[in-house]
Amino acid sequence: MLQEESDLSLIIAQIVQKLKGSNLYAQLERQAWASLQRPEIKLESLKEDIKEFFKISGWEKKLQNAVYSELSVFPLPSHPAAPPEHLKEPLVYMRKAQGSWEKRILKSLNSMCTELSIPLARKEDDATDSQSHSLGQPPCDAFLRLLDGRPVGEQKELLNKWNEMGTDEPDLSLFRPVYAPKDFLEVLINLRNPNYENGDSLSFRTHLGLIQVPLKVKDIPELKEFFVELGLTTGQLGIDDSTQVPPELFENEHVRIGQKVLTEQDSAAAQQYVRQGSPTALRAELWALILNISSHPEDILYYEQLKTNVIQHDLLVDSLIYKDVKLTASNDDYYFVFEDYLYQVLLCFSRDTSVLSHFAYNSASPPKSYIRGKLGLEEYAVFYPPNGVIPFHGFSMYVAPLCFLYHEPSKLYQIFREMYVRFFFRLHSISSHPSGIVSLCLLFETLLQTYLPQLFYHLREIGAQPLRISFKWMVRAFSGYLATDQLLLLWDRILGYNSLEILAVLAAAVFAFRAVNLMEVTSLAAAEAVLADLSTLKVMPLLQIFLFATVT
Amino acid sequence: MSVQTIRNVFSVETGYRLSDDQIVNHFPNHYELTRKDLMVKNIKRYRKELEKEGSPLAEKDESGKYLYLDFVPVTYMLPADYNLFVEEFRKSPSSTWIMKPCGKAQGKGIFLINKLSQIKKWSRDSKTSSFMTQSTKEAYVISLYINNPLLIGGRKFDLRLYVLVSTYRPLRCYMYKLGFCRFCTVKYTPSTSELDNMFVHLTNVAIQKHGEDYNHIHGGKWTVNNLRLYLESTRGKEVTSKLFDEIHWIIVQSLKAVAPVMNNDKHCFECYGYDIIIDDKLKPWLIEVNASPSLTSSTANDRILKYNLINDTLNIAVPNGEIPDCKWNKSPPKEVLGNYEILYDEELAQGDGADRELRSRPGQSLGPKGSRLRDAGRTVLTTWK
């Protein structure tokens, strides 16, 4: 009990510390000072009166939302003597694996640069020839300001073209994505815990799948408990708003409650609410409420600053982003319209140093490099790209579905950034977190092996390990594979439960749904063909059937 | 059957009579709806008729604009209405107008003007030849250009909706649920320097597919459901539903307008391609109706859509796949509708006493629970608002 209390006070202290630096703190302070003018505030009961005032004026709610938002990402309390690496990732072998994966990525990036003789960042003088950086000198935010950046003429051009960058991109034929999800899968397959020895004999407990690390994953009874609001007796959007069901039964009431949640502006209530799905008209505001995004002038200004940064400096990752968008979103039936928004968001994202703060709880670390000649000197260490995130093939698909909800660039940007630092980063870094991609893969395989053993065994025999097919779905959070309205219903639940485990459950449910066809295939290619087109699937019925309606 | 053949079949000279078991896919005088000039003429006439009868549908607002029937942009026939047009042009000299040849399709021959001099040349030529009979091929219509279209991703788009009419009297029409939006490949700009750039202004696939950025995988097409999702998410459910209701309204009104003049041959049915543009105030405008909407496909999804379209159309027009008898009452059972939904059925509407209009939300199948019955006529006006 005492330990819990001291844990709690530690958490409180840390959150207070974090919020002290935020804009909300300054605003609250200002409000408190201004409230002294009010007649109901009396000197004798100053503290209570101000608290009362905050409650009535809605400021307490804002503070509540901010605290709730911090708690959502707050890492689990650990031993006070634990070093910061433990916060990122407690298991040593995972840290090592992540480290070596990062080295590989960087090597790939560097070799691409050398091949194409393109600097990681371009700094060009107006007058003289380009003195391009070579690989030892990636820039960072502060460093960039020292450079002259792009020539002025080009800057003007880019500013004019800001809204239509899709039409005139540079020559990208020589660029290739730094890595694709399947490369990452190979790394995960080879992940082993050196302390774990399960003997050579095969028993019925042996895990037949590709992932061979012993992490704890939930089984169906635990998932049923976790996802209790998805049960058969609870109304869901995605099922109970279909044509055959009269709206009076569920939909109207649900919409009414949604509007109430929005007027109350309560993050926690919103998060609980979207577990049953969010009505399309309210979704944009609900997600903003859950992620605690509000459009203050400071945020818009920050976005504009990033935009200026993009126009003034050129980074190699820009070309990678262009290439990725052209390869993925531009060819997608749903998202091709938003191509230009994707550039605007992603180019700014890669220059946003505030993203670096999420590396405190991300097992990954931003690539660091040193200015030439100053290797090892911390003062000359810079992060590249400035936000520490190297995009891979399909990265732009994280942003694309959000374009259906937000058409104002700075809001779209903020929502994406928050979604990334809360959820998406876990899908491409090696960690033991229950929402990390390793756990998701293991959860998927365990579910399949336990509840569809015949299918699993059959697929394994024909050389079509199920994870090889479902991995790409999970890494992209199903973006680009499902129809957009279904995808948004799925992401409602990700936000609602603050966990990505639903991706693994859905992947297993898809296999269960197509099991009959899959049992008849005889090769990996045929299995891929059966599962190639998910655009007609309805997400919620699949999940419900798999979790609640299958006899186990 | 192509339009050309229809002309021959029904022309007085050939004396061809369709027998009872022959059904054709065009009405003899479909051009009353599908030629740009005749469509406008019929709608104008319809509006005046309603006004004369004092029908509440023809109500006007303070500035003289029709409240419920203003869905076609201001249009004049050239050369006939040239002087009227000049008067209108001079009232708002900074406006842009679009010139369209009456009898052509696929965006051929269309251009934009913003100065009288650009067509003076044309009109001068016609004036000198005023003694010669004007062949219908040279007739143009000039309409006020909608220079504030709703933009998504900065691009202009229009809606292509398929409407099947099995009879005009009583009017029975069906709307295909799977319409699509056609996007331009180039960002929209109303600037006068780009008035000649057809890639910015014309959404016809026939034109866009020659653009540099045309993509063969998606073909610049979005489904109407995508549009609905996007609008509901960014603008809210009420305005989106209102928009779609208005679109249905203008389709039905346009059909009602030509119903009296249409030769309601019982051997005929027709599937029209309606082109609609939405402006940035979420008001839909009827641009034109096509008698022979393109049934070729530009992408894989397109092919599936058009295949189903033809399949469903034939299921409704020719029941049970048997040899048809044109005397049947043209009331297909609900199951064969496929992706069509009843847009307006005059018989059903009148049979219930008051005029009723059966509409259901696009994307949902018609069922007794799914449809919303409203009273058309006097009381519908409040709900349309």
Side-chain angles (χ1 to χ4, degrees):
Chain A
M1 198 54 205
L2 199 58
Q3 177 65 15
E4 273 179 39
E5 271 179 29
S6 64
D7 272 345
L8 195 60
S9 47
L10 187 64
I11 295 178
I12 295 176
Q14 284 176 320
I15 293 186
V16 168
Q17 188 66 17
K18 201 133 184 261
L19 286 178
K20 261 203 174 133
S22 79
N23 192 36
L24 184 61
Y25 184 76
Q27 283 177 324
L28 282 171
E29 236 185 342
R30 265 204 302 275
Q31 284 294 319
W33 278 107
S35 73
L36 290 177
Q37 307 292 331
R38 296 173 147 267
E40 56 266 19
I41 310 284
K42 301 205 185 4
L43 196 57
E44 308 84 54
S45 53
L46 192 63
K47 204 165 170 189
E48 282 71 35
D49 286 343
I50 294 191
K51 271 199 218 170
E52 192 59 38
F53 167 66
F54 276 162
K55 211 177 270 190
I56 303 173
S57 55
W59 281 99
E60 195 205 22
K61 203 53 9 108
K62 292 203 176 83
L63 180 60
Q64 243 181 359
N65 287 348
V67 172
Y68 193 73
S69 161
E70 291 299 324
L71 277 176
S72 302
V73 282
F74 210 75
L76 309 159
S78 50
H79 196 276
E85 293 93 63
H86 274 236
L87 217 57
K88 290 159 73 75
E89 171 52 51
L91 297 179
V92 175
Y93 73 92
M94 291 260 178
R95 286 208 299 266
K96 283 215 181 88
Q98 173 69 21
S100 54
W101 168 240
E102 278 166 14
K103 282 205 192 67
R104 262 180 71 185
I105 300 178
L106 269 182
K107 207 162 136 207
S108 167
L109 190 61
N110 279 342
S111 66
M112 195 191 320
C113 289
T114 333
E115 248 176 60
L116 306 174
S117 326
I118 293 175
L120 288 171
R122 195 151 57 102
K123 149 202 109 95
E124 277 183 358
D125 272 326
D126 293 357
T128 63
D129 300 20
S130 62
Q131 303 163 9
S132 44
H133 282 287
S134 75
L135 310 168
Q137 307 181 41
C140 77
D141 198 60
F143 195 58
L144 283 174
R145 288 201 201 96
L146 297 175
L147 309 176
D148 292 323
R150 287 192 227 257
V152 174
E154 203 183 298
Q155 287 186 33
K156 276 214 186 74
E157 204 190 305
L158 189 53
L159 188 58
N160 286 340
K161 272 187 356 172
W162 181 254
N163 286 326
E164 48 183 23
M165 279 185 274
T167 49
D168 189 33
E169 82 280 2
D171 177 22
L172 297 172
S173 46
L174 298 170
F175 285 97
R176 37 170 212 287
V178 180
Y179 67 94
K182 53 180 178 341
D183 307 318
F184 190 50
L185 179 60
E186 292 303 322
V187 173
L188 297 186
I189 291 175
N190 294 324
L191 207 54
R192 293 285 182 276
N193 182 352
N195 294 336
Y196 184 69
E197 178 58 59
N198 59 353
D200 288 346
S201 58
L202 292 172
S203 70
F204 93 101
R205 295 238 218 156
T206 315
H207 189 70
L208 295 174
L210 293 173
I211 305 288
Q212 293 291 331
V213 287
L215 292 172
K216 173 135 184 30
V217 291
K218 298 188 170 78
D219 58 6
I220 285 201
E222 285 168 333
L223 287 170
K224 272 193 197 174
E225 221 182 283
F226 186 64
F227 289 118
V228 66
E229 289 89 350
L230 299 183
L232 295 169
T233 50
T234 324
Q236 301 289 332
L237 284 185
I239 300 175
D240 300 297
D241 55 339
S242 71
T243 60
Q244 286 82 24
V245 180
E248 299 80 49
L249 276 188
F250 168 70
E251 201 183 344
N252 288 348
E253 184 61 22
H254 193 63
V255 172
R256 205 182 56 80
I257 298 179
Q259 277 154 348
K260 197 149 174 252
V261 168
L262 281 175
T263 28
E264 292 292 312
Q265 286 288 297
D266 188 333
S267 275
Q271 187 160 334
Q272 181 66 26
Y273 173 75
V274 299
R275 289 181 182 187
Q276 291 174 275
S278 154
T280 45
L282 304 176
R283 184 176 276 130
E285 285 176 46
L286 281 169
W287 284 20
L289 183 56
I290 297 175
L291 297 169
N292 207 24
I293 307 279
S294 42
S295 288
H296 293 131
E298 302 85 44
D299 303 314
I300 302 182
L301 200 62
Y302 188 73
Y303 175 73
E304 292 295 321
Q305 261 177 340
L306 289 173
K307 186 170 145 182
T308 324
N309 215 337
V310 173
I311 293 174
Q312 286 176 346
H313 302 280
D314 190 15
L315 298 179
L316 174 69
V317 283
D318 292 351
S319 311
L320 295 176
I321 289 171
Y322 269 123
K323 182 94 188 181
D324 184 48
V325 173
K326 284 286 177 202
L327 282 178
T328 53
S330 299
N331 291 332
D332 187 294
D333 284 335
Y334 295 98
Y335 307 122
F336 69 89
V337 180
F338 303 115
E339 190 180 325
D340 298 311
Y341 285 128
L342 297 180
Y343 296 125
Q344 291 175 20
V345 167
L346 288 169
L347 292 180
C348 289
F349 182 65
S350 50
R351 287 158 176 78
D352 190 348
T353 47
S354 68
V355 176
L356 292 173
S357 56
H358 93 283
F359 285 107
Y361 50 85
N362 183 355
S363 64
S365 304
K368 213 160 36 169
S369 192
Y370 300 90
I371 299 178
R372 186 185 281 152
K374 310 269 189 219
L375 199 69
L377 295 174
E378 277 308 317
E379 312 87 78
Y380 294 95
V382 291
F383 295 118
Y384 183 83
N387 72 339
V389 179
I390 298 187
F392 56 90
H393 179 66
F395 192 80
S396 53
M397 295 305 278
Y398 288 142
V399 191
L402 301 172
C403 297
F404 264 86
L405 299 174
Y406 306 99
H407 55 255
E408 206 263 314
S410 77
K411 189 118 192 234
L412 176 63
Y413 176 75
Q414 283 180 67
I415 296 274
F416 166 65
R417 182 180 59 185
E418 192 61 30
M419 291 280 282
Y420 182 81
V421 301
R422 277 209 206 186
F423 303 111
F424 296 144
F425 74 91
R426 298 201 192 277
L427 295 173
H428 46 267
S429 52
I430 304 178
S431 85
S432 58
H433 193 275
S435 274
I437 188 70
V438 185
S439 307
L440 294 184
C441 292
L442 191 58
L443 175 59
F444 165 72
E445 289 190 322
T446 318
L447 283 175
L448 218 54
Q449 183 173 344
T450 320
Y451 299 103
L452 293 162
Q454 214 181 359
L455 176 65
F456 195 99
Y457 190 71
H458 168 76
L459 288 174
R460 194 167 164 269
E461 284 298 292
I462 60 171
Q465 275 278 5
L467 187 59
R468 287 200 189 276
I469 304 175
S470 63
F471 187 70
K472 55 187 186 288
W473 301 340
M474 293 192 283
V475 166
R476 280 208 205 158
F478 281 91
S479 168
Y481 296 106
L482 292 174
T484 310
D485 57 330
Q486 296 299 312
L487 183 75
L488 292 173
L489 286 170
L490 180 67
W491 285 17
D492 280 340
R493 272 72 180 190
I494 292 182
L495 282 166
Y497 291 99
N498 202 25
S499 145
L500 294 163
E501 284 156 314
I502 199 152
L503 296 176
V505 180
L506 180 61
V510 171
F511 271 76
F513 184 61
R514 299 229 169 131
V516 173
N517 289 11
L518 285 170
M519 284 305 288
E520 301 191 1
V521 297
T522 51
S523 71
L524 174 60
E528 299 247 16
V530 169
L531 295 166
D533 183 12
L534 306 181
S535 55
T536 48
L537 293 183
K538 299 263 178 270
V539 159
M540 298 318 300
L542 279 183
L543 285 170
Q544 264 196 350
I545 292 177
F546 187 73
L547 283 176
F548 297 97
T550 315
V551 175
T552 48
Chain B
M1 240 192 227
S2 77
V3 201
Q4 182 70 20
T5 323
I6 284 285
R7 221 180 311 181
N8 289 339
V9 166
F10 284 107
S11 93
V12 186
E13 289 130 40
T14 54
Y16 192 83
R17 294 287 307 270
L18 286 171
S19 67
D20 280 356
D21 59 354
Q22 288 178 311
I23 304 246
V24 293
N25 62 330
H26 285 291
F27 283 93
N29 55 344
H30 64 80
Y31 44 80
E32 295 282 348
L33 182 62
T34 57
R35 263 183 64 114
K36 302 176 184 48
D37 52 351
L38 294 178
M39 175 188 86
V40 174
K41 218 160 60 175
N42 280 315
I43 291 180
K44 282 185 180 171
R45 177 191 44 80
Y46 174 69
R47 295 204 286 226
K48 288 226 159 45
E49 271 172 17
L50 285 179
E51 210 178 330
K52 249 188 253 168
E53 318 172 351
S55 157
L57 291 183
E59 207 177 305
K60 284 186 177 169
D61 68 10
E62 310 83 44
S63 52
K65 276 189 143 36
Y66 287 100
L67 276 175
Y68 312 112
L69 297 175
D70 178 34
F71 52 83
V72 177
V74 175
T75 305
Y76 296 102
M77 260 66 81
L78 292 181
D81 297 335
Y82 181 73
N83 293 320
L84 286 173
F85 159 68
V86 170
E87 217 182 292
E88 186 67 35
F89 183 86
R90 292 219 168 99
K91 279 192 217 159
S92 41
S94 60
S95 51
T96 313
W97 294 75
I98 181 165
M99 282 279 281
K100 298 188 269 201
C102 288
K104 298 224 184 103
Q106 298 196 331
K108 295 200 193 94
I110 298 188
F111 58 98
L112 298 176
I113 62 149
N114 62 348
K115 291 203 264 288
L116 265 185
S117 52
Q118 288 159 331
I119 55 164
K120 253 198 174 71
K121 190 167 64 94
W122 181 91
S123 75
R124 211 183 318 127
D125 288 339
S126 73
K127 274 201 183 129
T128 54
S129 59
S130 58
F131 290 116
M132 288 163 48
T133 41
Q134 286 290 331
S135 72
T136 48
K137 287 197 190 66
E138 280 181 16
Y140 274 72
V141 289
I142 186 159
S143 313
L144 188 60
Y145 185 60
I146 302 164
N147 62 354
N148 61 334
L150 177 65
L151 300 178
I152 299 188
R155 279 164 233 231
K156 178 173 167 181
F157 68 98
D158 80 345
L159 275 176
R160 160 56 61 92
L161 300 167
Y162 295 101
V163 177
L164 169 64
V165 178
S166 50
T167 114
Y168 273 97
R169 289 186 296 273
L171 179 60
R172 206 168 277 140
C173 53
Y174 307 86
M175 167 99 125
Y176 201 62
K177 283 189 263 189
L178 307 178
F180 53 88
C181 309
R182 299 176 291 205
F183 280 87
C184 291
T185 51
V186 178
K187 275 250 163 28
Y188 179 75
T189 162
S191 103
T192 45
S193 56
E194 290 291 331
L195 275 184
D196 299 327
N197 185 350
M198 287 301 118
F199 292 115
V200 170
H201 295 283
L202 295 185
T203 54
N204 310 66
V205 176
I207 295 203
Q208 292 294 331
K209 71 180 181 201
H210 298 294
E212 276 177 5
D213 291 316
Y214 183 72
N215 181 310
H216 288 270
I217 299 182
H218 53 70
K221 291 185 178 168
W222 242 21
T223 60
V224 164
N225 288 331
N226 275 351
L227 177 67
R228 221 193 154 96
L229 176 66
Y230 176 79
L231 287 177
E232 273 182 10
S233 304
T234 51
R235 302 265 193 148
K237 196 152 184 150
E238 296 77 32
V239 298
T240 310
S241 301
K242 177 158 165 283
L243 169 69
F244 280 89
D245 284 349
E246 274 177 25
I247 291 179
H248 295 168
W249 171 254
I250 62 187
I251 294 179
V252 171
Q253 292 306 308
S254 65
L255 289 172
K256 276 194 163 168
V258 300
V261 299
M262 201 55 100
N263 180 347
N264 192 29
D265 194 317
K266 53 186 193 286
H267 301 93
C268 302
F269 69 92
E270 198 153 18
C271 178
Y272 297 107
Y274 268 77
D275 287 344
I276 298 199
I277 287 199
I278 308 175
D279 71 12
D280 59 9
K281 300 189 184 36
L282 288 194
K283 181 179 159 69
W285 294 94
L286 176 59
I287 300 299
E288 66 163 347
V289 183
N290 294 292
S292 313
S294 158
L295 293 173
T296 56
S297 29
S298 47
T299 73
N301 280 339
D302 210 29
R303 186 169 52 81
I304 298 174
L305 184 148
K306 301 219 165 124
Y307 175 88
N308 283 321
L309 175 67
I310 300 178
N311 193 27
D312 293 332
T313 307
L314 292 176
N315 279 344
I316 294 181
V318 182
N320 294 333
E322 299 161 350
I323 304 280
D325 182 348
C326 68
K327 295 205 201 64
W328 79 296
N329 72 343
K330 300 207 196 253
S331 222
K334 292 227 169 61
E335 303 81 55
V336 308
L337 285 179
N339 283 314
Y340 273 105
E341 54 188 15
I342 298 181
L343 185 59
Y344 183 67
D345 189 330
E346 197 165 1
E347 216 171 58
L348 266 177
Q350 280 160 356
D352 286 328
D355 253 353
R356 274 170 165 205
E357 202 147 324
L358 291 170
R359 277 175 295 105
S360 50
R361 290 180 271 184
Q364 296 177 348
S365 56
L366 189 63
K369 288 186 202 159
S371 60
R372 283 175 296 182
L373 301 171
R374 282 170 210 232
D375 280 333
R378 284 164 208 278
T379 49
V380 78
L381 307 175
T382 47
T383 51
W384 280 120
K385 280 183 200 165

